[in-house]
Amino acid sequence: MFLYFILCLLPCYLTMAVDGVTTNNIAKPGCQSQCGNITVTYPFGIGTDCFLDYSFELTCNNSYEPPKLFVGDLQIYNISDSELRIFTTISYRCYNQSGVVDYDHVGWTDLVGFYTFSVKNKFTVVGCDDYALISGTNGADFSSGCFGLCSQARDVPSGECSGIGCCQTSIPKGLSYYNATLGSVKNHSHVISFSECGYGFLVEEDSFVFGGVNDLSTDYLKFTNKIRSTMPVVLDWVIKSDGTCAAGVNACKGNSTCYDVVEGEGYRCICKSGYEGNPYLDAGCQDVDECNDHGTNPCYGICTNTLGSYTCTCPPQFSGNANVTNGCQPIAQKSSNNVSTTFIIVLVFGVLVMLSGLVGIYYGIRKRKLIRLREKFFEQNGGVLLKQKIKSQQSYEAMTLFSTEQLRKATGSYSQENIIGRGAYGVVYKGILSDKRLVAIKRSKLVDATQAEQFINEVLILTQVIHRNVVKLLGCCLEEEVPVLVYEFISNNTLFHHIHHRLGGMSWLTWENRLRVASEAASALGYLHSETTMPIIHRDVKSANILLDENYTTKISDFGASRLVPLDHEQVTTLIQGTLGYLDPEYFNSSQLTEKSDVYSFGVVLAELITGKKPIGADRTNEEKNLATYFTNAVKENRLFEIIEPRLLREATLNQLQAVGNLVKRCLSLVGRNRPTMKEVAVELEGLRKFTTHPWAQKQIGNESKSLVLEVEQSDLYSVPLINSITEWESYSGISNTSLEGNNPR
Ligand SMILES: *[C@@H]1O[C@H](CO)[C@@H](O)[C@H](O)[C@H]1NC(C)=O
Ligand SMILES: *[C@@H]1O[C@H](CO)[C@@H](O)[C@H](O)[C@H]1NC(C)=O
Ligand SMILES: *[C@@H]1O[C@H](CO)[C@@H](O)[C@H](O)[C@H]1NC(C)=O
Ligand SMILES: *[C@@H]1O[C@H](CO)[C@@H](O)[C@H](O)[C@H]1NC(C)=O
Ligand SMILES: *[C@@H]1O[C@H](CO)[C@@H](O)[C@H](O)[C@H]1NC(C)=O
Ligand SMILES: *[C@@H]1O[C@H](CO)[C@@H](O)[C@H](O)[C@H]1NC(C)=O
Ligand SMILES: *[C@@H]1O[C@H](CO)[C@@H](O)[C@H](O)[C@H]1NC(C)=O
Ligand SMILES: *[C@@H]1O[C@H](CO)[C@@H](O)[C@H](O)[C@H]1NC(C)=O
C-alpha cells in the first residue's frame, strides 16, 4: 500500500480517474428493477403501483431462462429514457420446387397506449424474387413497399442492404400499426436452388446486418430467430396522461426539465445538464461529479465540481487549456517562494523521504538478518564458551574479540593481494589494524564443526602460552561463518624456507644462528611441555612451523593440532596427526601420544638444520628417503661429517657437530623412553651455544679462515635480502597435504 501510494502520488495529482457509470435512473423504490438482465426504469414498472401509467406496465415471465420481459404481448429487448426496443414481427413466404407456396405468414404489430415506431426503423425485405408491402397507420393510412431481387447467388453482397437480395425503405413518423404482405414475381422458380423464402419486417436500421446468401438460403425458422433475437425494432415512448408540458404538468421532479414530444402528443422529463438520476421519481436528479467522471470529462489540471457543472483549470503558476493533455504550461517566474514551487518541493521531498524510508527499512531488515547470522556464527564457533573462559580466567584477558568490520577493513575485505599463505585448512591474510599494527589473519576455508573446534583449540592453547618464542595470538573473530584468528605478524618467513630455498651462497644461516634458532625452538617446546598449567603437546613440530621475525627470532606457530594433556595422564590416545617425515614412528604405531613425539619431530628439524636436507628426500635411496633414518644410519656408520652441510664444517667445531649429531640421534630414538626431554635438549643446545660466542678462537682450519671471515661479514644478520616467497607460510595455513590423519592403522 505504501508503495502504491508513492507510485500513484505524482500521476494521481494530475488526473481524476475512475469510471463515471452511475446508473441511478432506476425503478420506483420497492419495485423490481431487473428482469433477467434488462433494467426496468420508472416510469416503467412491474406490478401494481410500480409504473406511472398502465401503458408502462411490464410483465416479467420467470418461466424462461433468462426471464423474458413483456409489454402486452411484445417481448422487450431493452429500455432507455426515451426509447423501448422490442422483438420485431416478421412476415415470410416460402416456395417449394414446383413454385408452390409452402408457408405464408403475415406479421403485424399494433402498438397501443404511449408508443410509436421510431423513424430509426426501416421496413426491410429480404429475398431474391420477393416484394413486400407495408400497410399501417399513424392516424393517416400509410402504404409502401420494396423489392428484393437477384438472379445468381454470387451476385448477393453480404453486409449491405443494397437492393440485391435485400431492400429497405423508410417509414413515416408516428406509426403505431403495421402489417407486411409478401409476393413473388416468378414464384422463386429461377432462384429456388439457393432461396426458398422472402421476408418483410420492421427493424432498427443500425442494428440490422444483412447476412448475404447465408440469410437467403437458411431455413426460415433459423432466419426469423436470428433477426428477432439480435435485431430489435425501436419504439418511442411518451407520457400522454397529463397532457403537454405547456399544460402545466408537474410530473418532472427536482433538477429536471419537461419537454414536449410533438409526434406523440405527450411529454418526457430530462435531467438538467450536469445532473443525473430519474426525473420521474421524487428524489429527482442529482448533481454529477464531473471530476470523478474521467471518461467523458477529461481534465488535465485541477478539476472542481460545481452544481450542474465543473471547472477545469491549470494549477497555480501554470496557464493554458487544462482540458487537453499538456495544455498547461508553467508561467515563467523568478520568485521561488510561491505556492506551486513550495508544493512541488514538498511533494518531491515527501517522495524522497518515503523512498529513503523504504530503503532504510530494507537495509534495516538486511542488517538485522546479518546481525542474527553473526550471532549464530558466534555461537556455532564456540564464542559463548570462549567468552565464558575469557571472563573466568585472567590469562584470557589479553585476547581481543575482533568484529567482522575491523578485520574486513584490515584485509581490504580479504582481498587476493593480501593473501600470504594458503593451505588445505584455510587462508592467511596480511592485515593492518586501525592502530597500524601488522597482523596475520588466519581464516578457515571450511564451515565444519571439527574445523571450528580446531580453531577454538588453538585459541585456548595460545591464550595460555606467553613465551617470546611462541607466536602471539592477538585475538579472534567469531562472528564470521568460520572462526578467524588474528596473530602478530611474523615477517621473515619459515625456517623451512630459509634452509631449503636459499638463493646464492650468502645466508644468515650461520652455525651460530642455527644453534640459536634450534635452542630457542627447543626452549619454547620445553616450556610448552612442562611449564604451562596443563602440558601442551604441539603435535606438528616441523621447520615449516617455525617462523622467524624481523630479528630472526624464532616463533613456534600452528597449534591447530595441539593437545592439552591433563596432568594425571601420561599418554593420550588420539587420531594420528602430524606431517610425514617428522612423524614419530612410535606414536604412529601405537597412537599413544606423549611429549616425546614432539622430541622426535624436533630431532628431524635439528637434522634438517645441520644437513640442509629435506625430511623426505627424493634424491636418497629407498631406505634413506626418510631423513631420520638417513641421519641415524650415517651416525652409526661414523659418516656424520659426510652428510653435514659443508659450510658448517668450516663454522663449527668438530666437537660441536659431534655433540649435535649425538643429540639428534637420541631424539630420533625409536623408543620414546630413550629420547631426552625437550627441556634437556634445550639445555644441551644452550650449552653448545656458549662455545660459539668465540668461535674464531677454536677455528683450526687455517687457510680458509680469511675467506670465512669475509663471508661472515657479508652475511650480516639483518641486511641479507631474503627471497620474498610468502607462499612458504605453510605454518600459518596448517599445510596438510603431507599430513597423515586417520585411524590407528593397527
Ligand atoms: C442479456 O443476456 C443475454 C444472454 O444472457 C445476452 O445475450 C444479452 O446480450 C444480454 N443483454 C444485455 C442488454 O445485457
Ligand atoms: C409465461 O410463459 C409461459 C409460456 O409461454 C406461459 O404459459 C405463462 O402463462 C407465462 N406466465 C405469465 C405470468 O405470463
Ligand atoms: C439497447 O440495445 C441497442 C441495440 O443493441 C443498443 O444500441 C442500446 O445501447 C441498448 N440500450 C440500453 C439502455 O441497453
Ligand atoms: C409442392 O407443393 C405442392 C402442394 O403441396 C405439391 O403438390 C408438389 O408436389 C410440391 N412439389 C415438390 C417438388 O415438392
Ligand atoms: C393490413 O393493414 C391494412 C391497413 O391497416 C388493412 O387494411 C389490411 O386489411 C391489413 N392486412 C392484413 C392481412 O391484416
Ligand atoms: C405462381 O403461383 C401462382 C399460384 O400458386 C400462379 O397463379 C402463378 O401463375 C405462378 N406464377 C408463375 C410465374 O409461375
Ligand atoms: C438538485 O440537485 C442538488 C445537488 O444534487 C440537490 O442538493 C437538490 O436537492 C436537488 N434539488 C431537488 C429539488 O431535488
Ligand atoms: C474546458 O472544458 C469545460 C467543460 O467542457 C469548459 O467549460 C471550458 O470552457 C473548457 N476550457 C477550455 C479552456 O477550453
Side-chain angles (χ1 to χ4, degrees):
M1 212 180 82
F2 202 26
L3 193 66
Y4 169 75
F5 182 51
I6 285 180
L7 290 178
C8 187
L9 200 60
L10 271 175
C12 297
Y13 161 56
L14 291 174
T15 59
M16 49 278 96
V18 207
D19 55 330
V21 185
T22 41
T23 320
N24 38 357
N25 7 347
I26 41 159
K28 199 169 177 177
C31 294
Q32 187 180 343
S33 65
Q34 205 78 23
C35 179
N37 55 9
I38 305 167
T39 304
V40 178
T41 59
Y42 193 76
F44 296 90
I46 302 165
T48 330
D49 288 341
C50 283
F51 44 83
L52 183 69
D53 182 275
Y54 280 100
S55 291
F56 301 126
E57 182 184 12
L58 308 182
T59 54
C60 186
N61 193 333
N62 288 307
S63 45
Y64 298 99
E65 181 55 43
K68 291 180 178 176
L69 184 64
F70 294 92
V71 53
D73 291 335
L74 303 173
Q75 193 184 342
I76 295 175
Y77 190 83
N78 70 23
I79 301 171
S80 76
D81 54 9
S82 64
E83 293 169 345
L84 187 72
R85 283 179 176 78
I86 60 169
F87 285 56
T88 191
T89 311
I90 301 174
S91 298
Y92 54 87
R93 194 173 159 99
C94 298
Y95 303 83
N96 76 2
Q97 301 288 334
S98 323
V100 178
V101 173
D102 270 352
Y103 309 101
D104 191 11
H105 175 77
V106 176
W108 55 271
T109 303
D110 191 6
L111 301 176
V112 291
F114 299 166
Y115 306 97
T116 55
F117 288 103
S118 163
V119 291
K120 288 180 181 175
N121 300 302
K122 288 277 193 275
F123 181 62
T124 306
V125 175
V126 171
C128 259
D129 181 19
D130 301 278
Y131 59 84
L133 292 176
I134 176 172
S135 305
T137 175
N138 60 351
D141 280 346
F142 155 75
S143 224
S144 182
C146 213
F147 266 100
L149 293 174
C150 64
S151 50
Q152 313 180 67
R154 64 164 197 267
D155 293 341
V156 183
S158 61
E160 56 177 315
C161 195
S162 60
I164 305 173
C166 175
C167 163
Q168 284 186 323
T169 186
S170 302
I171 57 165
K173 280 181 181 175
L175 194 66
S176 62
Y177 169 86
Y178 87 92
N179 64 35
T181 48
L182 286 151
S184 177
V185 182
K186 292 184 180 169
N187 295 347
H188 276 239
S189 54
H190 60 302
V191 294
I192 195 74
S193 61
F194 63 92
S195 170
E196 289 177 355
C197 305
Y199 310 90
F201 51 93
L202 267 187
V203 70
E204 180 181 16
E205 189 183 13
D206 290 347
S207 293
F208 179 72
V209 179
F210 178 48
V213 174
N214 282 344
D215 278 357
L216 296 173
S217 57
T218 194
D219 176 53
Y220 79 98
L221 280 175
K222 280 185 186 159
F223 178 77
T224 52
N225 265 337
K226 176 189 138 185
I227 297 293
R228 281 169 58 81
S229 60
T230 62
M231 303 169 193
V233 59
V234 188
L235 309 184
D236 293 319
W237 59 266
V238 291
I239 299 168
K240 289 182 182 169
S241 51
D242 297 321
T244 62
C245 296
V249 294
N250 201 15
C252 296
K253 307 299 182 184
N255 295 325
S256 74
T257 47
C258 176
Y259 65 99
D260 290 317
V261 182
V262 178
E263 60 267 34
E265 293 173 335
Y267 70 91
R268 280 194 292 259
C269 301
I270 189 168
C271 287
K272 287 178 182 165
S273 161
Y275 290 83
E276 65 186 0
N278 193 325
Y280 305 101
L281 289 173
D282 289 338
C285 298
Q286 304 300 316
D287 177 48
V288 176
D289 185 0
E290 290 89 352
C291 296
N292 244 339
D293 192 1
H294 189 31
T296 49
N297 303 297
C299 177
Y300 300 93
I302 294 172
C303 183
T304 315
N305 185 42
T306 60
L307 277 188
S309 184
Y310 73 105
T311 61
C312 177
T313 53
C314 290
Q317 304 310 316
F318 284 83
S319 71
N321 183 359
N323 289 351
V324 296
T325 353
N326 298 327
C328 293
Q329 297 299 329
I331 301 167
Q333 233 185 40
K334 289 190 176 71
S335 113
S336 65
N337 58 347
N338 54 59
V339 181
S340 163
T341 326
T342 317
F343 181 76
I344 286 169
I345 287 172
V346 166
L347 195 76
V348 168
F349 185 74
V351 169
L352 285 179
V353 164
M354 271 181 281
L355 278 179
S356 58
L358 278 183
V359 169
I361 287 169
Y362 172 73
Y363 279 105
I365 288 170
R366 249 182 63 155
K367 196 166 179 187
R368 272 175 74 123
K369 264 192 185 165
L370 208 65
I371 287 174
R372 247 186 241 145
L373 200 65
R374 283 183 185 169
E375 279 169 0
K376 192 187 128 214
F377 289 149
F378 189 80
E379 214 163 287
Q380 169 183 313
N381 291 339
V384 176
L385 183 85
L386 194 70
K387 242 186 176 165
Q388 280 172 357
K389 296 226 169 185
I390 289 172
K391 265 188 196 157
S392 61
Q393 289 189 31
Q394 293 203 331
S395 56
Y396 292 105
E397 261 175 1
M399 262 261 309
T400 314
L401 283 178
F402 290 94
S403 73
T404 307
E405 282 76 25
Q406 270 176 305
L407 297 190
R408 285 191 184 275
K409 218 170 148 192
T411 56
S413 292
Y414 297 108
S415 78
Q416 292 284 321
E417 297 145 36
N418 288 327
I419 294 179
I420 52 173
R422 218 191 265 276
Y425 287 145
V427 181
V428 183
Y429 298 85
K430 183 178 177 176
I432 303 172
L433 294 181
S434 49
D435 58 7
K436 303 270 182 273
R437 251 188 311 166
L438 272 178
V439 289
I441 294 169
K442 180 172 169 182
R443 193 170 191 258
S444 173
K445 247 190 217 164
L446 305 161
V447 195
D448 174 349
T450 60
Q451 293 293 311
E453 213 179 286
Q454 271 203 2
F455 271 74
I456 296 302
N457 185 40
E458 189 162 355
V459 172
L460 291 176
I461 287 172
L462 282 175
T463 46
Q464 291 192 357
V465 174
I466 301 154
H467 192 278
R468 73 181 285 267
N469 297 119
V470 174
V471 80
K472 202 155 114 203
L473 180 72
L474 301 176
C476 60
C477 172
L478 303 167
E479 291 172 4
E480 299 227 15
E481 202 175 354
V482 291
V484 179
L485 301 185
V486 181
Y487 300 91
E488 58 176 328
F489 183 76
I490 310 296
S491 57
N492 256 339
N493 237 314
T494 68
L495 183 62
F496 182 91
H497 175 88
H498 288 289
I499 297 173
H500 303 293
H501 290 261
R502 279 170 295 162
L503 288 179
M506 279 186 290
S507 164
W508 67 279
L509 268 179
T510 59
W511 169 244
E512 187 182 354
N513 276 332
R514 286 179 209 228
L515 264 190
R516 179 180 53 79
V517 167
S519 162
E520 284 174 350
S523 91
L525 289 172
Y527 166 84
L528 292 174
H529 287 178
S530 55
E531 280 169 46
T532 50
T533 43
M534 218 185 268
I536 298 163
I537 302 176
H538 188 286
R539 265 179 111 194
D540 200 11
V541 174
K542 54 181 176 181
S543 55
N545 277 342
I546 297 171
L547 306 180
L548 295 157
D549 72 3
E550 69 272 21
N551 299 322
Y552 296 93
T553 303
T554 312
K555 302 276 184 184
I556 305 276
S557 79
D558 198 356
F559 291 77
S562 306
R563 292 298 293 250
L564 288 165
V565 185
L567 280 176
D568 49 346
H569 289 76
E570 264 298 292
Q571 302 178 326
V572 185
T573 309
T574 70
L575 293 179
I576 309 285
Q577 205 168 348
T579 303
L580 212 60
Y582 297 92
L583 192 65
D584 172 13
E586 190 184 56
Y587 165 51
F588 184 80
N589 288 329
S590 68
S591 2
Q592 300 297 308
L593 180 69
T594 69
E595 288 98 330
K596 295 294 177 68
S597 297
D598 278 355
V599 176
Y600 181 91
S601 304
F602 184 77
V604 179
V605 174
L606 266 184
E608 230 179 315
L609 258 176
I610 61 173
T611 60
K613 293 191 163 48
K614 288 194 179 172
I616 303 281
D619 54 334
R620 297 190 292 270
T621 59
N622 248 0
E623 192 186 286
E624 296 187 332
K625 250 195 171 62
N626 206 326
L627 178 61
T629 319
Y630 176 67
F631 193 94
T632 39
N633 284 350
V635 173
K636 265 185 213 155
E637 293 159 17
N638 262 324
R639 292 188 288 109
L640 176 64
F641 298 106
E642 290 173 25
I643 63 167
I644 279 178
E645 199 173 311
R647 168 180 182 169
L648 299 185
L649 290 174
R650 281 174 279 144
E651 294 180 359
T653 65
L654 297 182
N655 287 343
Q656 281 178 321
L657 291 174
Q658 197 74 60
V660 173
N662 277 326
L663 183 60
V664 172
K665 191 185 144 208
R666 278 190 290 140
C667 287
L668 294 180
S669 168
L670 290 178
V671 182
R673 260 180 295 113
N674 297 341
R675 296 170 202 158
T677 64
M678 217 55 236
K679 206 91 201 169
E680 288 164 358
V681 174
V683 167
E684 220 164 297
L685 285 170
E686 193 57 33
L688 281 172
R689 266 188 83 192
K690 294 221 171 82
F691 289 106
T692 62
T693 21
H694 306 289
W696 320 125
Q698 295 169 22
K699 284 285 173 215
Q700 305 290 325
I701 306 174
N703 279 355
E704 282 185 12
S705 59
K706 213 171 180 186
S707 62
L708 186 72
V709 170
L710 193 67
E711 191 181 333
V712 170
E713 274 171 0
Q714 284 176 338
S715 55
D716 180 276
L717 257 186
Y718 308 114
S719 62
V720 175
L722 293 163
I723 313 118
N724 205 12
S725 163
I726 49 180
T727 49
E728 279 297 326
W729 277 52
E730 297 154 322
S731 52
Y732 273 136
S733 49
I735 192 161
S736 77
N737 46 358
T738 53
S739 288
L740 282 179
E741 204 166 331
N743 286 308
N744 189 338
R746 267 181 309 175

